[in-house]
């Protein structure tokens, strides 16, 4: 494998994150997002967070710079990558995010834009099915389970050896996707990945750094946000309501 380091960055706060928080706060059944999930943009704070990611990248030693960048095709992730590379002045060196659809957020199917209260009220059978199957294996109609996303990540990781001249990849994606990178790379089980996601949610614009030592992947850092605090930018989690909006 040529790529032996993965710098995983969650996108900055999105307009969807803000809308989901407001819907939960007010007890609404639907999240007022005007765009389809793939087109949801960063909030003003999310742009600041993305720029802080760039400042963190610029502060790395030249030998620690990413030499290839991958991004989810969803707008909030791609915007984060573009803003960060521009702030780090790495775009001037020709570094551009490569879109990979395997890095997209989990598809929630018919439950998309519904809050947990909305699912319980309007899809009680689905809510009961999810409780029975558990968050890891439950697949909403038209959507994906966490295991479906894990298959995408396994495919992505297997393809890292397609880049023999690169060693360090920056990957800008989503919170559940980052959790599943750790599940796949570090050999976690269902209990561990769900426990970590619940107890230690992935903040917006945070860094998780995985390194392959020749035998296995290990985490050098997880959910790091010091760069946001140093730039006096608010740290937000927006972990989403359970299994409804990530």
């Amino acid at each position: 494998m040529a790529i032996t380091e993965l710098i995983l960055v969650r996108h900055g706060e999105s307009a969807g994150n803000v809308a989901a928080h407001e819907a939960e706060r007010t007890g609404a059944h639907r999240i007022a997002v005007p765009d389809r999930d793939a087109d949801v943009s960063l909030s003003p704070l999310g742009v600041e967070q993305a720029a802080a990611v760039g400042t963190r990248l610029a502060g790395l030693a030249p030998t620690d710079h990413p030499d290839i960048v991958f991004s989810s095709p969803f707008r909030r992730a791609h915007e984060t990558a573009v803003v960060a590379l521009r702030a780090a002045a790495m775009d001037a060196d020709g570094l551009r995010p490569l879109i990979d659809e395997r890095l997209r957020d989990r598809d929630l199917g018919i439950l998309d834009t519904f809050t947990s209260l909305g699912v319980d009220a309007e899809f009680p059978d689905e809510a009961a099915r999810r409780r029975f199957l558990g968050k890891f294996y439950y697949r909403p109609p038209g959507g994906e389970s966490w295991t479906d996303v894990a298959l995408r990540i396994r495919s992505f990781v297997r393809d890292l050896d397609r880049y023999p001249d690169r060693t360090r990849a920056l990957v800008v994606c989503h919170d559940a996707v980052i959790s599943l990178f750790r599940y796949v790379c570090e050999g976690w089980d269902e209990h561990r990945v769900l426990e970590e996601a619940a107890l230690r949610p992935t903040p917006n614009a945070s860094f998780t750094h995985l390194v392959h030592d020749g035998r296995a992947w290990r985490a050098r850092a997880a959910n790091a946000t010091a760069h946001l605090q140093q730039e006096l930018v608010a740290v937000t989690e927006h972990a989403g309501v359970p299994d409804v909006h990530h």
Side-chain angles (χ1 to χ4, degrees):
M1 183 189 305
I3 293 177
T4 57
E5 294 189 41
L6 293 171
I7 303 171
L8 308 172
V9 172
R10 185 187 177 193
H11 62 79
E13 181 188 72
S14 72
N17 292 149
V18 175
H21 175 76
E22 181 63 14
E24 288 294 323
R25 186 187 68 81
T26 60
H29 286 188
R30 298 295 296 267
I31 301 167
V33 181
D35 303 302
R36 63 175 185 159
D37 196 25
D39 297 327
V40 171
S41 63
L42 293 177
S43 70
L45 173 58
V47 174
E48 292 182 29
Q49 292 171 335
V53 169
T55 301
R56 175 72 180 96
L57 293 173
L60 296 174
T63 53
D64 292 332
H65 284 184
D67 48 24
I68 191 168
V69 180
F70 297 97
S71 171
S72 158
F74 283 17
R75 180 176 176 182
R76 56 192 179 272
H78 187 253
E79 281 184 346
T80 300
V82 169
V83 170
L85 292 174
R86 184 183 303 127
M90 291 180 177
D91 58 342
D93 297 328
L95 206 56
R96 300 285 188 276
L98 302 176
I99 297 297
D100 194 307
E101 72 284 348
R102 292 172 294 185
L103 301 173
R104 71 188 186 277
D105 208 353
R106 178 174 165 239
D107 190 337
L108 297 175
I110 65 169
L111 303 188
D112 190 31
T113 76
F114 282 89
T115 63
S116 55
L117 282 175
V119 172
D120 287 341
E122 302 190 38
F123 300 98
D125 289 345
E126 287 302 314
R129 191 164 71 90
R130 179 197 176 279
R131 286 191 292 271
F132 176 74
L133 294 175
K135 183 173 183 175
F136 197 59
Y137 290 103
Y138 170 69
R139 180 188 295 118
E144 296 176 293
S145 66
W146 277 49
T147 53
D148 292 327
V149 180
L151 288 175
R152 294 200 248 121
I153 303 308
R154 290 190 191 282
S155 171
F156 178 85
V157 171
R158 281 198 303 268
D159 279 354
L160 293 178
D161 60 5
R162 296 175 55 194
Y163 305 92
D165 57 337
R166 311 296 172 94
T167 59
R168 188 175 298 104
L170 172 66
V171 180
V172 184
C173 52
H174 309 268
D175 58 342
V177 175
I178 291 173
S179 293
L180 288 164
F181 260 105
R182 299 198 68 188
Y183 167 81
V184 168
C185 291
E186 298 182 69
W188 289 357
D189 60 14
E190 173 189 0
H191 174 76
R192 176 73 184 276
V193 69
L194 294 182
E195 180 181 57
E196 290 286 338
L199 297 179
R200 285 169 281 278
T202 303
N204 293 108
S206 61
F207 279 73
T208 294
H209 190 180
L210 303 183
V211 178
H212 198 281
D213 62 9
R215 295 180 300 175
W217 291 96
R218 59 183 177 83
R220 182 174 291 175
N223 299 340
T225 58
H227 56 291
L228 298 174
Q229 298 163 34
Q230 289 168 2
E231 295 299 310
L232 303 180
V233 176
V235 177
T236 54
E237 287 185 351
H238 291 298
V241 296
D243 208 40
V244 176
H245 195 276
H246 299 281

